[in-house]
Amino acid sequence: MSKFTIAIHGGAGTILKSMLTPELEINYNQGLQEALNAGYAILEQQGTSLDAVVEAVKVLENNELFNAGKGAVFTNEGLHEMDASIMDGSNLMAGAVAGVRNIKNPILLAKEVMLHSGHVILCGNGANEFAKTRQIETASDEYLFNQYRYDQWVDIRDSEFYQLDHKEDNLKSFLEKEKKFGTVGAVALDQHGHIAAATSTGGMTNKRYGRIGDSPIPGSGTYANDHTCAISCTGHGEFFIRAVVAYDVSCLMEYKGLTLKEACDIVVKDKLVKMGGEGGLIAIDRLGNYELSFNSEGMYRGVKTSDGYNQVSIYKD
Amino acid sequence: MSKFTIAIHGGAGTILKSMLTPELEINYNQGLQEALNAGYAILEQQGTSLDAVVEAVKVLENNELFNAGKGAVFTNEGLHEMDASIMDGSNLMAGAVAGVRNIKNPILLAKEVMLHSGHVILCGNGANEFAKTRQIETASDEYLFNQYRYDQWVDIRDSEFYQLDHKEDNLKSFLEKEKKFGTVGAVALDQHGHIAAATSTGGMTNKRYGRIGDSPIPGSGTYANDHTCAISCTGHGEFFIRAVVAYDVSCLMEYKGLTLKEACDIVVKDKLVKMGGEGGLIAIDRLGNYELSFNSEGMYRGVKTSDGYNQVSIYKD
């Protein structure tokens, strides 16, 4: 049997043990484990890394603890506008959607874009129209509604503030609260030796002006190439776009000969820090090496390998 | 006086001498020269590369021969949805808009996003809303209307075909016609030693589903970093996104120590060709080296340097 591995994240940010109740911590760990198991089961049955990352992200999208799919934050207009992307390391195919509404699993739509649209990125109403042609499952506002997210939004909707993905340094009142903003993502290596990456997010609370972060941008929030690595990012999206984070890790490996760990360390703990870009990423290569790297207080994360290793974590080690 | 240079493009594709009337050829060359002169004048007066690329792109957007701003192609719905992006090599700041309507100069809006939104990419109606807060000049449908683009669109609007940026291999009837699809862009080095890049496009004729190409994606269609290069791309956007073209050139220079020419040759004439990605790019570094590189039949392009060199071209050499 060839080695296989799946790694996931549920967002990075100012996540401190003091901010989570024991019960909430259990729920987060459980949610992460369920997503790992779902992706792992596909890999175990010799499924593709592409299907595994979709399945893991789908489970996280369906869990309202995470800011993607059910549980997505509210925009300034009181809506949910979601972004997702996927990339297949075996052929460099990619698909993404930005600012879609009332889609149950944006990652499934991103996969359809990759396979059936002839395009890579579809945006807004147009992406929703495409979803209809592919019979993608929709979700009502009621399904997507979450009281906690709603209260967050009501707190700031009349202000000029917006809530960045994983940080809220411009809104004092938020600093007292538990922060569970973010993005979800998965990377996997399958038994056929192929890797893939997927990312999904509800963006930031009270976002306006059709802001797009790094999550739906191949090269920035998501990247996969069998020859180097598969990456899914989470963090302050604007910095991740400017730093072309996911592809930067790949280039450091391909052009400079760095290992996955060396490349991730440089990008996450040096380059992003110097820019002021808070967040992290998960990464895997075709040898089964993996990294769960972040420069923030915490990152919801997990990894499960065919060697029998299984771990979910939230805080810094 | 320090060296300064500006280079521009007006789209790449199947552009053959047999397809342009002598009069049209003169008009294209004139349009390119006007854009070069506008950007060059700013550099000559010790202006910034950022202002120079904006000015050059603005001139190209205002010229209906080019598919950006006035002269933008029609979407499947008979509208103009335009994309633009800009990046400042001195600080890695970037700004972009995707799918904006009735904006006279999308590149000016991209610059406002970079400087005043706190974000990098704004999309669709939201980007138009932001434009209002910055008093960005709008343009009526009448201003943006162009009979030639309209006729192109009418030819195919009821079909399932769409017209890719610079290629139309799936629509026979188009093969007989002059092809002037594309994107416009500029890169510049100023007397302060800083470089910048800007790109703007109307996308592809009959596009639907809110498709976004590489033009508004920092890292793919546009990139600038004083330590490496400034790049503006034009071509079949989907391939340029998957190959993260602009940042790839930068990484080959930074991590592999290649020259600007070597890096451009590998990306445009080897990697993109192997993927099937038709198009080209313009590139500059802080030493004033520049490249106008393409793998298609032609690319509307030009360069003007403080050494007294001035050239506009359309076809392969």
Side-chain angles (χ1 to χ4, degrees):
Chain A
M1 187 186 73
S2 293
K3 204 167 176 174
F4 56 94
T5 297
I6 181 157
I8 59 168
H9 71 76
T14 313
I15 308 163
L16 296 166
K17 196 167 176 66
S18 58
M19 294 154 64
L20 291 192
T21 63
E23 191 195 348
L24 208 45
E25 192 176 305
I26 289 169
N27 290 344
Y28 272 113
N29 283 333
Q30 220 161 47
L32 291 167
Q33 190 61 58
E34 280 166 18
L36 274 182
N37 292 348
Y40 188 88
I42 287 175
L43 298 174
E44 198 170 28
Q45 292 150 33
Q46 304 198 2
T48 66
S49 53
L50 196 73
D51 287 339
V53 294
V54 167
E55 200 56 32
V57 165
K58 211 175 103 185
V59 170
L60 293 167
E61 285 177 338
N62 292 346
N63 185 332
E64 65 182 343
L65 287 175
F66 302 100
N67 174 21
K70 186 171 176 61
V73 299
F74 287 81
T75 67
N76 183 256
E77 289 174 303
L79 302 166
H80 305 283
E81 289 183 356
M82 301 173 288
D83 308 329
S85 66
I86 188 164
M87 192 155 174
D88 183 341
S90 72
N91 56 18
L92 302 185
M93 291 292 282
V97 289
V100 291
R101 296 181 185 167
N102 297 101
I103 297 294
K104 188 181 178 201
N105 292 108
I107 197 63
L108 292 180
L109 182 54
K111 189 183 168 192
E112 291 295 302
V113 170
M114 175 175 80
L115 296 178
H116 302 292
S117 75
H119 301 307
V120 173
I121 309 177
L122 300 184
C123 183
N125 295 337
N128 273 92
E129 260 180 73
F130 175 73
K132 282 183 208 159
T133 73
R134 303 301 308 172
Q135 286 86 48
I136 291 288
E137 191 175 355
T138 56
S140 65
D141 290 337
E142 291 69 34
Y143 171 83
L144 294 169
F145 182 87
N146 172 288
Q147 190 66 48
Y148 180 85
R149 304 291 190 203
Y150 184 78
D151 294 343
Q152 279 183 333
W153 171 62
V154 167
D155 270 2
I156 59 165
R157 68 178 162 185
D158 297 327
S159 73
E160 280 301 304
F161 293 114
Y162 48 81
Q163 179 63 52
L164 290 172
D165 289 24
H166 313 285
K167 199 184 173 186
E168 55 276 12
D169 53 4
N170 53 2
L171 192 61
K172 276 269 166 94
S173 75
F174 264 41
L175 290 174
E176 316 310 321
K177 298 188 183 178
E178 178 240 334
K179 286 107 181 159
K180 50 179 183 183
F181 316 104
T183 305
V184 307
V187 294
L189 164 68
D190 64 31
Q191 298 194 45
H192 316 288
H194 299 306
I195 57 178
T199 309
S200 182
T201 187
M204 59 194 197
T205 297
N206 209 36
K207 74 177 171 185
R208 57 173 75 181
Y209 301 138
R211 177 258 187 186
I212 298 178
D214 63 314
S215 299
I217 311 291
S220 292
T222 303
Y223 186 73
N225 183 340
D226 276 0
H227 298 296
T228 52
C229 56
I231 306 274
S232 171
C233 297
T234 168
H236 192 153
E238 277 71 14
F239 291 92
F240 282 63
I241 294 173
R242 292 167 51 207
V244 204
V245 166
Y247 191 56
D248 201 26
V249 174
S250 176
C251 287
L252 282 164
M253 294 177 71
E254 184 173 1
Y255 302 145
K256 231 179 165 176
L258 300 193
T259 65
L260 187 73
K261 180 173 169 30
E262 290 167 341
C264 291
D265 280 352
I266 286 179
V267 173
V268 176
K269 292 171 184 171
D270 183 34
K271 293 175 83 166
L272 272 173
V273 170
K274 281 176 185 156
M275 286 178 88
E278 188 179 345
L281 57 79
I282 53 173
I284 198 165
D285 68 17
R286 69 184 305 168
L287 301 174
N289 298 309
Y290 61 87
E291 285 296 317
L292 315 170
S293 184
F294 54 100
N295 61 34
S296 48
E297 292 296 331
M299 180 167 81
Y300 299 108
R301 62 200 187 276
V303 63
K304 186 169 184 168
T305 81
S306 55
D307 297 337
Y309 183 76
N310 181 84
Q311 179 73 41
V312 295
S313 319
I314 299 178
Y315 318 110
K316 270 188 193 164
D317 292 326
Chain B
M1 188 186 73
S2 293
K3 205 168 176 174
F4 56 94
T5 298
I6 183 158
I8 58 167
H9 70 76
T14 314
I15 307 162
L16 297 167
K17 197 167 177 65
S18 57
M19 294 153 64
L20 291 192
T21 62
E23 192 195 346
L24 208 44
E25 191 177 304
I26 289 168
N27 290 343
Y28 273 112
N29 284 332
Q30 219 160 48
L32 292 167
Q33 190 62 56
E34 281 165 17
L36 274 182
N37 292 348
Y40 187 88
I42 287 175
L43 298 174
E44 198 171 28
Q45 292 149 34
Q46 305 197 3
T48 66
S49 52
L50 196 72
D51 287 340
V53 294
V54 167
E55 201 55 33
V57 165
K58 212 175 102 185
V59 170
L60 293 166
E61 284 177 338
N62 292 346
N63 185 333
E64 66 182 342
L65 286 175
F66 302 100
N67 175 20
K70 186 170 174 64
V73 298
F74 287 81
T75 67
N76 183 255
E77 289 174 302
L79 302 166
H80 305 283
E81 289 183 355
M82 301 172 287
D83 308 330
S85 65
I86 188 163
M87 192 155 175
D88 183 340
S90 72
N91 56 17
L92 301 185
M93 291 291 284
V97 289
V100 291
R101 295 181 185 167
N102 297 102
I103 296 293
K104 188 180 177 200
N105 292 109
I107 197 64
L108 292 180
L109 182 53
K111 189 182 168 193
E112 291 294 302
V113 171
M114 175 174 80
L115 297 178
H116 301 292
S117 75
H119 300 307
V120 173
I121 309 176
L122 301 184
C123 184
N125 295 337
N128 273 91
E129 262 179 72
F130 174 74
K132 281 182 207 159
T133 72
R134 303 301 308 173
Q135 286 86 48
I136 291 288
E137 191 175 356
T138 56
S140 65
D141 290 337
E142 291 69 36
Y143 171 82
L144 294 169
F145 182 88
N146 172 288
Q147 190 66 47
Y148 180 85
R149 304 291 190 203
Y150 184 78
D151 294 344
Q152 280 183 333
W153 171 62
V154 167
D155 271 2
I156 60 166
R157 67 178 163 185
D158 297 326
S159 74
E160 280 302 303
F161 294 115
Y162 48 80
Q163 178 64 50
L164 289 172
D165 289 24
H166 314 282
K167 199 184 174 187
E168 54 277 12
D169 52 6
N170 53 2
L171 192 61
K172 275 271 167 91
S173 76
F174 264 41
L175 289 174
E176 317 309 322
K177 297 189 182 178
E178 179 240 335
K179 286 108 183 158
K180 49 178 183 182
F181 315 105
T183 305
V184 308
V187 295
L189 164 68
D190 64 32
Q191 298 194 44
H192 317 287
H194 299 306
I195 56 178
T199 309
S200 181
T201 187
M204 58 192 197
T205 297
N206 209 36
K207 74 176 171 185
R208 58 172 75 182
Y209 301 138
R211 176 259 186 187
I212 298 177
D214 64 314
S215 299
I217 311 292
S220 292
T222 303
Y223 186 73
N225 183 340
D226 276 1
H227 298 297
T228 52
C229 56
I231 307 275
S232 170
C233 297
T234 168
H236 192 153
E238 277 69 15
F239 292 92
F240 282 64
I241 295 174
R242 291 167 52 208
V244 204
V245 166
Y247 191 57
D248 201 26
V249 174
S250 176
C251 287
L252 282 164
M253 294 178 71
E254 184 173 1
Y255 302 144
K256 231 179 165 176
L258 299 193
T259 65
L260 186 74
K261 179 173 171 28
E262 289 167 343
C264 290
D265 280 351
I266 285 179
V267 172
V268 176
K269 292 171 184 171
D270 183 34
K271 292 176 83 166
L272 273 173
V273 170
K274 281 176 185 156
M275 286 179 87
E278 187 179 346
L281 56 80
I282 53 173
I284 199 166
D285 67 19
R286 69 185 304 168
L287 301 174
N289 298 308
Y290 62 86
E291 286 296 318
L292 315 170
S293 185
F294 54 99
N295 61 34
S296 48
E297 291 296 332
M299 180 167 81
Y300 300 108
R301 62 199 188 277
V303 63
K304 186 168 184 168
T305 81
S306 55
D307 297 337
Y309 182 76
N310 180 83
Q311 179 74 42
V312 295
S313 318
I314 299 178
Y315 318 109
K316 271 188 193 163
D317 293 326

